[in-house]
Amino acid sequence: MRVRRSIFAAAAFIATTGATLAQEAVLLPGQPHQWQMTLQDAMSPIQEQIRWFNWYALAFIIPITIIVAALLAWSIYRFRESRNQVASRTSHNTLIEVVWTVAPVIILLFLAIPSFQLLTAQYNPPSEPELTVKATGYQWYWGYEYQPVATSAEAQAEPVSFESYPLLDEDRDGVGKQDKGAYPHLLAVDNEMVVPVDTVIRLLSTSADVIHAFAMPSMGVKVDAVPGRINEAWFEAQREGIFYGQCSELCGQAHYNMPIAIRVVSKEQFASWYAAASQDLEDANAQLTAGIDSASAIAVAGR
């Protein structure tokens, strides 16, 4: 009887785990998932390069680890005390010394060249940014200030700036963000940074108190926010949706309360949102969310 109960319990656990994984499979990209072991899906060109370099580096690291572990195990077995009562007095081996000097140099060259190329791309956008957003870290929330280019239509409107606080569970109903799949626990915010898709965005990062860090894994962005200093990064979202990150510096006891949410919309939606946000941010966000939900419902109904 106990054996049967154990079997049933194991089957139930496997079924529950499978159901959980199936549920996770339908979660939107741009946020961490349970049981996730690799980097987040790439939503920007830089993150695509980062993912490629990750697998490229592993192609060197895994064989090296296996070879070193095998050599260590073989040495422990082959040269154990019981088999070698008299220790060898060999002081050097020219061939081995040449190999273990030259091989690491070659491997490092194969790793260094693409890593330098990636580092250069992270600081050099492919074109002049079409929009600049200044992100200021506070204990413990973010503030965003938009700086459109002078030739854009947004430059003619009033400047847009606002604070982004973590969304508490008791406040979800009031802002229409009950879905924890789209608005995850401890990652959702009341006001997302809204940016247009397929647009080079310059990100200026600074802090008003202690050192923070603006980190958006799916966009390949991680830049420190230092008081009295402005650091610069860039990203170009290639897909519409909401993507999440967090402050990645230990900035105090409420460090976990600094989520980052970027809502990527079409250029037309962004233009409408910006014009409305310059007058009433809350109403602009409500209109934007309603328009996206309506478009999603129409798309689902058409399938």
Side-chain angles (χ1 to χ4, degrees):
M1 181 63 70
R2 290 182 178 178
V3 174
R4 289 183 177 178
R5 289 179 179 176
S6 299
I7 293 174
F8 288 144
F13 173 77
I14 294 173
T16 303
T17 303
T20 301
L21 292 175
Q23 183 179 5
E24 291 293 337
V26 300
L27 284 178
L28 299 176
Q31 58 179 272
H33 298 161
Q34 293 186 17
W35 305 96
Q36 186 173 14
M37 298 183 65
T38 60
L39 301 178
Q40 290 189 18
D41 294 338
M43 297 295 130
S44 73
I46 289 297
Q47 181 61 12
E48 287 182 355
Q49 295 184 48
I50 292 174
R51 284 178 60 89
W52 176 87
F53 184 74
N54 173 68
W55 294 113
Y56 176 80
L58 282 176
F60 290 90
I61 294 171
I62 293 174
I64 291 172
T65 303
I66 294 173
I67 292 172
V68 171
L71 287 173
L72 180 61
W74 180 79
S75 299
I76 292 172
Y77 173 77
R78 174 65 178 80
F79 300 105
R80 63 191 185 278
E81 183 181 4
S82 62
R83 188 171 178 177
N84 297 271
Q85 298 294 332
V86 180
S88 172
R89 294 182 176 276
T90 302
S91 60
H92 68 275
N93 183 295
T94 302
L95 177 61
I96 293 178
E97 290 175 1
V98 170
V99 170
W100 75 33
T101 300
V102 174
V105 171
I106 295 174
I107 292 172
L108 288 176
L109 284 174
F110 275 96
L111 291 173
I113 293 174
S115 70
F116 290 157
Q117 292 174 337
L118 174 58
L119 186 63
T120 301
Q122 286 181 297
Y123 289 96
N124 294 275
S127 62
E128 279 298 314
E130 301 174 50
L131 175 67
T132 298
V133 181
K134 180 181 177 183
T136 304
Y138 300 92
Q139 288 183 314
W140 287 270
Y141 61 96
W142 290 93
Y144 300 120
E145 177 184 338
Y146 285 73
Q147 302 170 10
V149 295
T151 56
S152 66
E154 287 78 20
Q156 311 305 318
E158 292 294 323
V160 173
S161 62
F162 55 87
E163 285 74 43
S164 179
Y165 292 89
L167 182 63
L168 302 177
D169 286 344
E170 55 267 26
D171 297 332
R172 287 178 176 271
D173 293 339
V175 293
K177 296 181 178 180
Q178 300 89 342
D179 183 5
K180 290 189 177 182
Y183 306 99
H185 179 61
L186 294 181
L187 287 177
V189 300
D190 56 354
N191 299 315
E192 297 90 3
M193 178 200 296
V194 181
V195 299
V197 71
D198 297 327
T199 302
V200 177
I201 310 295
R202 177 192 286 119
L203 177 70
L204 303 179
S205 179
T206 188
S207 170
D209 35 56
V210 300
I211 297 178
H212 301 284
F214 190 99
M216 180 61 59
S218 61
M219 298 293 177
V221 174
K222 185 176 182 181
V223 57
D224 283 342
V226 182
R229 179 174 178 176
I230 294 180
N231 290 325
E232 182 176 333
W234 72 275
F235 64 92
E236 181 182 3
Q238 297 177 313
R239 173 175 174 173
E240 297 180 26
I242 304 180
F243 310 109
Y244 295 95
Q246 287 179 300
C247 171
S248 59
E249 287 285 355
L250 297 178
C251 55
Q253 64 179 0
H255 159 69
Y256 64 93
N257 265 343
M258 291 195 67
I260 301 167
I262 296 180
R263 184 188 287 272
V264 182
V265 299
S266 67
K267 295 184 178 182
E268 294 75 15
Q269 289 174 323
F270 176 77
S272 300
W273 172 85
Y274 194 92
S278 63
Q279 304 297 325
D280 188 337
L281 176 67
E282 184 175 350
D283 183 60
N285 286 338
Q287 292 181 21
L288 180 63
T289 302
I292 294 174
D293 292 343
S294 176
S296 300
I298 294 174
V300 171
R303 292 178 181 175

